[in-house]
Amino acid sequence: MFLRILKKDLKRKKTMNVILLLFVILATMFAASSMNNMITIYGGIDYFFDKAGMADYVFIIENSNGDAAQKAEDVLTDSESVTGVNRENIVFINSNNLKDEDGNKYCDFEGIGIITGVSDAKLNYYDRNDEIITEIPEGHFYAGGEFRTSSDVHIGDTIILELKGTTLELTLDGYIKDALLGTPLMGNPRLLMSDNDVSKLLANDDIRNKHDGAIFYVSSDDVKALQRDTIGLSGVVFGFDVSTLRLTYMIEMLTAGLMMVVSICLILISFTMLSFTIKFTMTEDFREIGVMKAVGIKNRPIRGLYLIKYLCISVVGAVIGYILAIPFGKLLLKNASESMLLGNDDQVLIGILSAVGVVLVILGFCYFCTRRIKKMSPIDAVRNGETGERYNRRSILRLTKSKLGSNAFMAANDVASKPGQYVSMTVTFVACLILITMLANAANTLMSDKLLYLIGTTESDVYYDSTDLIMDAMGSDDEDAFENIMTDIEKTLADNGMPGKVHAELQFSLPVEFGDERMTVLMQQSKATHASDYVYYEGTAPEYPNEVAFTPQILDSLGAEIGDTVIIEIGGEKNEYIITASFVAMNQLGRLGRLHEDVPTIDNEAGSAFAFQIDFDDDPSDKVIAERIEKLKEIFGSDKVYTGAEYVDVCTNSASALSSVKDLVLVIALVISALITILMERSFISKETTEIALMKAIGFKTRSICAQHTLRFAIVLLISSVIASLLCIPVTKLVCDRIFAVMGAVAGIDYDIRPVEVFVVYPLILAAVVIPAAFLTSLYMRTINSESMGNIE
Amino acid sequence: MSNIIEVKDLCKTYVVNKKQNNVLRNVSFSIAEGEMVAVMGPSGSGKSTLLYTVSGMDKMTAGEVSFDGKKLSSLSANDMADIRLDEMGFIFQQMYMMKNLTILDNIILPAVKSNKSNESRKQIEKRGRALMNKLGIEETADNDINEVSGGQLQRACICRSMINKPKVIFADEPTGALNRTASDEVMDEIVKLNQEGATIMLVTHDVKVAAKCTRVMYIVDGNIKGEHVLGKIGNNNELRGRERDLSNWLMEMGW
């Protein structure tokens, strides 16, 4: 008997049951994929490092005419703090060594490229399918780092590698997920190729003597002791422990972290939708429940009937949702997983648990909703769910007092009279809008000059990034070489009618001692600015030459605090410096110090320098600056002439990543909003068949009723936009401050909020999807005719 | 009096489970302005289908219906909606109303929607209240639809059907869901409307209701088997005689 009722119910209320099924599928898909992603992201780097076989400490040693690598191996082998060493022989190249088939530079990268033979690899390198690369045919290679993000590089490209007279023709087979050098932040792309090709390169004496080196993957149970033991190593271009290496993935983790926020929102949306659908369908059933009670069926069997019905639907939905969760989860993590191996070993179990969780939640909702069955009397069969004692006032607005047209009034009154019906939709739209605007705020901030202080520099009109000029100065014996270059640039500016001052931030690798701790720290200095021009997190800016500031990471490594005195060796002379402040920085993984401008350093002893900063004398407008930048690009023959905002983007290399996450989230949000709009409107049509037929019978045109229904969505969207606008800034601060803190901005960020984009453009984009979706779905009511009035239950 | 409704060879066929069901078979009749015509017949004879097809709510399979000189088959859905809004009024057996509107708002909704007159919202409200007053339900104006009795609700439906001063009111068993007292009250109002000039076509099973009409058509198996002209009702004293007369005729028809 009950099975027959159940079977009939599933058939008769096909539309609502299908809608419920679709929501269960969505909820399971979101929950299963999001739970998996959250666990994957939480342990993301550990998982990747573990699978890749990453060591506790990594050194990259450049031989350059010596035997630095061999000496380093000896030191490491003898060190008591070392429990194991793996050596990977490498060849160094730069971007000029790679040409396309026409002889043009193939791919622009700033740092040194590293070539590794596949058999000599001491890490596991993964391809795009997350398979370990074990073999590469001769004449082929895989690439990582900036190759993956460069728009000029495509799989299948043939390139010419020219190094010291040796030429190799190589075809790009794919990109590698490289735990050490995989992130563009490292700036050292790796080329993984066949052993024969590497042997061909090393057969050249010039390459073997001047371009070879080694990467040491060191296992240690005492990293601090290891650092002390290796202070004297020569040729070290890179030496970091695993905790610092993790920071190189901050952009990927930022992306993944944002996807975690997206996942949480999706779970929230899915359960809100479930709650709505179950309550909605249960309300529809009140009359039947009343009838069943009237004919003497007891509460328990009635409740059992509904529980079984929802169990059937939710189990089918959960199975389908679980299957769909796998590709959807991958889509969510696509951006983050391009350079990282992401995953967890319990994906299947978590997916199943999430699906079971959704089923239990549905049954819980159903159990909760059917509690009312006990209280309902057979009179509910007549009163459609409301007895005389439980009448709820429905009409909120008054047509007689309203100045709205009939369509607008009906839409507004419907939303005002049954707000509960629109809560889930409002939650969805608000969540979607906040996600999009939050990401837009973060991306815009990363592309603005508000983060200049985080890359350790000050505001200027133009930034001219020239590695060649800086390398010339660094490699020169002339102490004034750097100053001369800046004078030349100033002269060029004056000659072209845009006089200005030029300066640059220099970086010196200097030994710093505090107590027993001794380490080399990259110290920044600009003689054209004051130390007090920079932003400090704690303490006060260095005011005298014997004062210094460090990042919290360096203070932590030294075990020092503000007020302590450190010894810094400059030009062979050791002097004491008082630490007066700490500052945050995103560059050099936050391991920096700042010297007072009057500290006597020698420019050409600097290890590196930032871009040349140009400040025009005539304080030009942004428009004039933009014009001058174009002119300077021609004069310098370089595209690397930037505004402050562009320079931040170039330095952080994260705005583009964030923008692509934003675009992905925007697409997901639009698809979800459209889907939910379609399902909600279809639910409304199903529930309001009588009213639609009545309106048609009394002379409302279909287009008029469609307009009413569409207007409801427009009203909900408007309300959602207002709520999202109010929450946008606080939520951005709440979520993004934590994400930027990982990148070094522990003191919070002054976000670049673009009101038109955030408060107008994105709501309009959402409206451009939701309103047509609502309208097109509402056209279904064309199938409801006025004659339905005669045979509606 | 000219004919406001002319029906010629009207056919309506439903196909259910691939089986053809001819509900109306070449029905022809006309209704003159100011008439009050009852359609009677056994269950399933096609009474309601005839009402909905003649009023343009349902599509005809064949034949022709003219409403105030306009052929319904040549009208678009939008034109038909305009006619339903401005020139027709409907009263259903179930008291269907918009759940989120008050009684008064439900009544004036067609007038607000209509472009027939340039009345202000205030004037429409005044007219709605006047109609409610006339039908004795003014005190329910600000009530929700679930706060009033069935009889009050049906009278509100009558007010709604009248708000745009239609040429014809179609009523499908308007007292079918009411008790006798409420039924009498509602029918009295419908008769009054007719006496004030409205043309009415109604479907009923109730001899007492039909006896108040000027003409009764008896339909069996989709055909009009016969017509009985009662003429305008003078006073309630005539009612018993009209009922007896009608009953006798219905007996002849096979009622």
Side-chain angles (χ1 to χ4, degrees), chain A residues 303-558:
Chain A
R303 207 168 178 182
L305 186 72
Y306 285 97
L307 286 172
I308 289 169
K309 173 186 161 183
Y310 285 105
L311 180 67
C312 292
I313 293 173
S314 55
V315 166
V316 172
V319 170
I320 300 170
Y322 170 70
I323 294 165
L324 293 176
I326 299 164
F328 185 69
K330 283 186 178 165
L331 173 75
L332 286 180
L333 283 186
K334 187 173 168 283
N335 283 60
S337 65
E338 277 178 357
S339 58
M340 287 176 73
L341 180 76
L342 282 176
N344 67 69
D345 296 328
D346 304 314
Q347 274 188 349
V348 176
L349 181 67
I350 292 163
I352 290 171
L353 286 177
S354 303
V356 170
V358 170
V359 173
L360 291 177
V361 168
I362 291 168
L363 291 181
F365 276 141
C366 181
Y367 192 80
F368 179 78
C369 292
T370 51
R371 274 191 324 175
R372 288 180 64 187
I373 289 174
K374 273 187 192 171
K375 295 178 188 167
M376 288 172 82
S377 71
I379 192 71
D380 293 314
V382 184
R383 296 283 191 187
N384 200 15
E386 288 183 334
T387 62
E389 295 76 39
R390 291 189 285 113
Y391 280 137
N392 293 318
R393 188 158 191 90
R394 278 188 146 143
S395 51
I396 300 294
L397 306 180
R398 291 283 181 275
L399 184 55
T400 44
K401 289 174 185 156
S402 169
K403 287 190 166 56
L404 295 171
S406 57
N407 291 341
F409 172 82
M410 297 286 280
N413 184 49
D414 196 74
V415 174
S417 303
K418 290 180 275 188
Q421 196 166 280
Y422 300 92
V423 166
S424 50
M425 208 155 57
T426 310
V427 168
T428 304
F429 293 156
V430 168
C432 287
L433 276 172
I434 285 180
L435 273 179
I436 299 164
T437 52
M438 182 186 76
L439 291 172
N441 290 339
N444 291 339
T445 305
L446 280 171
M447 286 187 278
S448 73
D449 55 11
K450 287 179 186 284
L451 292 185
L452 271 172
Y453 78 96
L454 274 180
I455 55 170
T457 190
T458 49
E459 199 176 331
S460 287
D461 294 331
V462 172
Y463 297 76
Y464 169 35
D465 194 3
S466 173
T467 314
D468 293 344
L469 285 177
I470 288 165
M471 293 310 289
D472 284 351
M474 302 295 131
S476 169
D477 294 330
D478 180 3
E479 287 188 10
D480 297 327
F482 207 82
E483 198 59 45
N484 291 340
I485 289 170
M486 292 196 285
T487 308
D488 285 348
I489 295 174
E490 284 179 0
K491 189 171 178 304
T492 307
L493 293 172
D495 291 347
N496 285 280
M498 45 179 125
K501 299 279 179 297
V502 177
H503 73 276
E505 292 281 340
L506 300 178
Q507 291 182 325
F508 300 89
S509 283
L510 301 173
V512 178
E513 291 177 33
F514 177 70
D516 293 338
E517 292 297 334
R518 187 167 191 269
M519 62 172 63
T520 303
V521 178
L522 209 60
M523 301 296 294
Q524 280 191 203
Q525 187 193 40
S526 169
K527 286 171 182 160
T529 58
H530 302 290
S532 55
D533 293 341
Y534 300 83
V535 178
Y536 297 90
Y537 170 46
E538 264 184 318
T540 53
E543 283 183 43
Y544 301 101
N546 67 335
E547 291 181 351
V548 70
F550 290 108
T551 59
Q553 290 93 323
I554 295 293
L555 288 178
D556 192 41
S557 297
L558 287 169

Side-chain angles (χ1 to χ4, degrees), chain A residues 753-766:
Chain A
I753 311 281
R754 299 179 187 174
V756 174
E757 179 184 345
V758 170
F759 303 127
V760 179
V761 175
Y762 289 118
L764 284 180
I765 291 174
L766 194 58

